[in-house]
Amino acid sequence: MNVVVMVSHSLKTLRQSWPPYAGAAVALAGGIALITLATNMLGALGTATDGLDPQTRTRIDDLGSLFGIMAGISLFLALFVVSSTFGFVVATRRRELGLLRLLGATPRQVRTLLLGEAVAVAAVGTVAGCLLGTAVTMPVLHVLHLAGVTPVLLGMPGQGAGWAIAASCGVGVALVGAWRAGARAGRTQPVEALREAVLERRRPTVVQGLVALTAAAGLVATAWFASGMPLLFALLVGMFLPILAVIGANAVGGLLYTELATYAGAAVARRDPAAHLARDLARTSGRMTAAVAAPVVAIMAVAGSMVLAVGATADWSEGADRAALTSELVVRAKRPERIQDVPGVRVSDVRRTAQVGFGGGPEDVEVVDVSSAAATRSLQATRGSLADLHGRAIAVTASYITDLGGRVGQTHRMRVGGRSVKVRLVAVVPDAPNLWADVIVPDDLPGIGRIVRDTGTVFVRTAAGADVTATARAVQDGGAQVSTAEEWVRTVSAEARATNEVVLWVMLGPAGVYAAIAAVNAVLIGMSQRRRQTATARLLGATPAQVRRTTLWETAFTGAGALLVGGAITGFTGWLVRQAVVRDVPDAPLTFPWQALSGITAACLMVLLAAAVAGAYTLRSGEAPD
């Protein structure tokens, strides 16, 4: 019966305390909209099934991992932001909860009260989030198609599975956030009802300290093993390490962010009384400071790290292409078989591919003449021997053999043109994604000639003593497009970088909007609890402009600390991935994605500006204290 009474009381208190919970509902709705969008995008991949060529089908299948990463980031941000928002909301009600304890409520009843409120908020936020996520799905799919990320326009999937997943996540995230907040609220003492002000605790709890130490240990261990880390593993670590670092930083955020905000405001505080007050508020209002800083750190660290990791991958690919490509010319031709007859051409290596059944699904394989590929693309074995690559044999790249789980000498089944063929793995070759596929088969593999297709790209090695310029002109006169090897590498690399940037913005753009909502929410919730402080400051002579300037300075100091932490995590990830790149390809170029990182920084500054303006607008007027 007590539980029923507390649940009934939850609905009553929710109606009376709705302003802070409105912020929690908005934060939850934004998170659920992100998850709904991600699941709808995954479901949309299944709508494109009819009339697609094998290459387009493969591109669409490859988008599954991209959208899966987006779904994971969305769930992380939702859990992260909603949990901190619920904790912040509960912290603003310490006197109310203390009064309940004073009237005889037990810790369990207090927790039940908060869980009941969370369920009601979850219902509103989940419904709103599902509707919003569904509404923006088709516009996002149109943007993806126009940007060239998807080769065809994907259709809207059925909403049953997407809504079920999003609703489950929404209720789960809300209950987890409320449970964490309720555990602290249950320890509220009755004496809190008699206090006019509560000094927030800045020292981390034992659990928070252990979380931070675990994250720090992970960073130290990663730095220790960075010099021997394979590139693929370094990229995986670079994707998940920022999340671990963000969790560790926010576990001690009440101390870390307040101290950084204090140091950031030290110089200005000596010149402006409003800045001095803002620095003190940032230091003593640990929950609000941490709540504003957390989404900024998350976006800066996760987005910045992904940009650097993707950029490092492009550097590695460009360096590997330049090191392996020994042909002087790269040609695009409609009739590539005619290039061999052009005067001055010694080796004409036509790039050809085929789609086969391998490894549990369709796989695009490289079909090569081994001697030609060795002469123009430096195709060589790091294990096994390419001399055995003929007939029923295959070679795979160093990264693919990890996924395949095999070794040189093992046999595998490959479906070629509707027939099952037993093939033997004879060699492992270096990775060079722009020069050959992960699986390489000889051009005399039984049945491969019926399904092979020319890509139109020809790698040309000129004859000894031939004039490269004259040979290129002769090839061009035959109607083909000719590039030098260096020009081709630069063009392919630039196209890959441009595509990567589009993909990253599509993945992280909605998360950035969500971070802005979360930061503004935190400021609005915190400022709503400062009306008495503001009124007292007005009574002591502070002008409305000084009050607003205090809010702006406080957000600026908090943002400076958040950008510093996020930048440090990003820099560490970039250094880690770069170590793996230069060990694998010593001559890999070093490019710094200034434009993308500047865009991320600008987005974080916009988040902080929106939070500052929201806070200043909330406190645009003051009242006399009671």
Side-chain angles (χ1 to χ4, degrees), residues 260-272:
L260 290 175
T262 301
Y263 289 128
V268 186
R270 290 192 289 268
R271 298 181 178 88
D272 187 352

Side-chain angles (χ1 to χ4, degrees), residues 2-18:
N2 288 338
V3 173
V4 175
V5 172
M6 294 306 295
V7 170
S8 175
H9 189 59
S10 296
L11 298 178
K12 295 178 181 178
T13 56
L14 185 61
R15 287 195 295 269
Q16 297 170 354
S17 306
W18 66 267

